[in-house]
């Protein structure tokens, strides 16, 4: 596929490294939230550069729904072993077993919303005061309201009206007892920036980002990956298609796109010609007009 490849703007890398160093300087127990997706993989590389030649000075935390892509979990474990990183995994299934959350049922059941309780419990368990994540302002309108240092109250909840102003390069990490901060070092990046960075840094990514054969079915105009925990109706035949994923999340709410992209350059070409946003493939965002903002208010990342 032909494409006009542009260079990654390195000032974005400089900004992200500056933010990561500020987190290490201002907070006692930061953690990097890691999903195994392209954005969190990018954060790991940025953290490597920020603290080289020392090791990354904070652990990785993965909230595992139990409904993840096998390829992503395998990649996560390989990356952690290769780089010698500390990984903490907490499971939504444990929250269900402890009756802290109730498993959804029905055709559109997903564990994605249930992650919030598991995440907040992990923050309390380890006393994390800063959680670093790969959310970007271009992804979704609720995320566009976030600050790079985004304060949560002592219940882990977010209030868009109480966000601090961002004045030049001043990152205010002062928080009250019980509060924590969510930190978004690549908030000002776009999806295309991330892919150009992955290309230039030659970063490994899970195989599901590239075109591959997968059993899928159609629902509400979207292509969903088939799995044993999906409730598939008789009028939703399962077929094998050549697809890839633009975003990585819980399998129950992450749609695929038909694709022949087998290289980073092919993916960039598809992004440049796409008419649907990256989050257009996230079914959980479509539950309501304000679905993401409501989850964030409850403590979702």
């Amino acid at each position: 596929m032909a494409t006009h490849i542009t260079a990654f703007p390195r000032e974005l890398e400089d900004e992200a490294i500056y933010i990561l160093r500020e987190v290490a300087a201002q907070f006692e127990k930061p953690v990097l939230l890691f999903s195994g997706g392209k954005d969190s993989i990018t954060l790991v590389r940025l953290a490597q550069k920020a603290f080289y030649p020392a090791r990354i000075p904070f652990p990785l935390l993965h909230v595992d729904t139990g409904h993840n892509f096998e390829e992503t979990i395998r990649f996560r474990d390989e990356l952690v072993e290769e780089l010698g990183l500390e990984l903490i995994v907490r499971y939504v299934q444990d929250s269900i077993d402890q009756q802290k959350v109730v498993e959804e049922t029905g055709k559109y059941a997903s564990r994605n919303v249930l992650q919030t309780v598991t995440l907040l419990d992990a923050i309390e368990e380890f006393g994390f005061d800063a959680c670093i994540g790969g959310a970007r302002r271009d992804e979704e309108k609720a995320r566009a309201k976030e600050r790079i240092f985004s304060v949560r109250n002592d219940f882990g909840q977010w209030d868009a009206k109480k966000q601090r102003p961002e004045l030049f390069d001043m990152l205010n990490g002062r928080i009250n007892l019980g509060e924590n901060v969510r930190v978004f070092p690549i908030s000002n990046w776009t999806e295309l920036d991330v892919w150009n960075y992955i290309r230039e840094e030659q970063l490994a990514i899970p195989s599901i980002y590239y075109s591959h054969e997968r059993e899928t079915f159609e629902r509400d105009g979207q292509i969903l990956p088939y799995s044993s925990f999906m409730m598939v109706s008789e009028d939703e035949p399962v077929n094998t298609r050549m697809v890839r994923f633009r975003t990585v999340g819980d399998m129950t709410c992450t749609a695929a796109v038909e694709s022949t992209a087998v290289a980073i350059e092919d993916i960039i070409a598809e992004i440049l010609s796409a008419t649907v946003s990256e989050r257009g493939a996230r079914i959980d965002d479509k539950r309501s007009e304000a679905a993401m903002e409501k989850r964030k208010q409850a403590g979702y990342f």
Side-chain angles (χ1 to χ4, degrees):
M1 298 176 70
T3 182
H4 300 289
I5 295 178
T6 57
F8 171 77
R10 287 288 161 174
E11 59 270 21
L12 289 177
E13 179 186 61
D14 294 340
E15 178 187 62
I17 287 173
Y18 165 74
I19 292 166
L20 287 166
R21 289 172 175 166
E22 283 294 305
V23 171
Q26 294 192 46
F27 297 94
E28 293 184 7
K29 293 199 69 176
V31 66
L32 192 156
L33 300 191
F34 188 80
S35 67
K38 67 184 187 307
D39 299 313
S40 55
I41 293 168
T42 295
L43 284 179
V44 169
R45 171 52 62 90
L46 290 166
Q48 284 182 286
K49 289 191 172 187
F51 303 107
Y52 183 83
R55 294 179 61 186
I56 296 174
F58 37 72
L60 276 55
L61 170 64
H62 182 211
V63 177
D64 189 340
T65 66
H67 292 169
N68 297 102
F69 291 92
E70 291 182 6
E71 298 93 329
T72 306
I73 299 300
R74 185 164 57 248
F75 179 90
R76 177 200 72 185
D77 294 341
E78 290 172 353
L79 181 69
V80 167
E81 182 177 359
E82 177 187 350
L83 301 182
L85 304 175
E86 178 187 354
L87 173 67
I88 299 168
V89 183
R90 289 296 178 267
Y91 300 92
V92 170
Q93 184 62 54
D94 290 339
S95 299
I96 295 171
D97 293 342
Q98 295 162 9
Q99 299 184 339
K100 293 182 176 180
V101 294
V102 178
E103 181 98 68
E104 293 183 358
T105 58
K107 183 177 179 179
Y108 295 95
S110 172
R111 289 185 173 183
N112 201 48
V113 175
L114 308 186
Q115 293 180 84
T116 298
V117 170
T118 311
L119 171 60
L120 294 178
D121 283 349
I123 291 172
E124 183 178 3
E125 177 185 355
F126 293 96
F128 295 129
D129 53 1
C131 299
I132 305 162
R136 308 186 320 271
R137 286 174 173 145
D138 77 319
E139 289 183 279
E140 200 273 339
K141 59 187 179 182
R143 285 180 165 170
K145 299 178 183 179
E146 292 268 23
R147 300 294 188 258
I148 290 174
F149 274 22
S150 182
V151 180
R152 299 304 205 271
N153 66 18
D154 54 354
F155 294 103
Q157 297 170 330
W158 176 70
D159 186 346
K161 296 179 180 179
K162 292 185 178 180
Q163 294 301 291
R164 297 167 176 172
E166 288 179 345
L167 304 175
F168 306 102
D169 290 333
M170 295 175 62
L171 298 173
N172 183 356
R174 292 189 294 273
I175 56 176
N176 298 317
L177 182 66
E179 292 179 334
N180 65 80
V181 169
R182 310 292 170 87
V183 182
F184 306 104
I186 61 172
S187 186
N188 292 327
W189 296 32
T190 65
E191 181 186 11
L192 187 59
D193 290 330
V194 172
W195 282 112
N196 275 324
Y197 191 73
I198 290 171
R199 177 181 60 83
E200 291 188 16
E201 293 290 316
Q202 299 182 351
L203 299 181
I205 54 176
S207 59
I208 61 172
Y209 280 117
Y210 298 109
S211 178
H212 60 284
E213 283 192 348
R214 182 177 290 271
E215 287 189 316
T216 62
F217 64 97
E218 290 191 41
R219 175 177 292 170
D220 300 333
Q222 292 190 304
I223 301 171
L224 295 183
Y226 173 76
S227 64
S228 60
F229 42 76
M230 298 282 277
M231 182 177 291
V232 182
S233 305
E234 291 183 0
D235 60 349
E236 297 174 326
V238 176
N239 297 305
T240 300
R241 294 180 174 89
M242 291 294 295
V243 298
R244 73 175 190 87
F245 295 87
R246 288 178 68 183
T247 180
V248 170
D250 190 301
M251 287 184 70
T252 59
C253 60
T254 305
V257 294
E258 292 192 277
S259 172
T260 58
V262 294
I264 296 291
E265 290 77 11
D266 299 335
I267 293 173
I268 291 173
E270 287 189 355
I271 293 170
L272 289 170
S273 62
T275 57
V276 177
S277 71
E278 176 185 3
R279 294 294 298 193
R282 292 301 292 268
I283 299 159
D284 49 324
D285 288 353
K286 304 180 186 302
R287 291 193 172 198
S288 73
E289 187 69 20
M292 172 64 81
E293 184 153 341
K294 289 179 180 178
R295 292 201 302 277
K296 293 174 76 64
Q297 288 170 351
Y300 183 80
F301 197 77

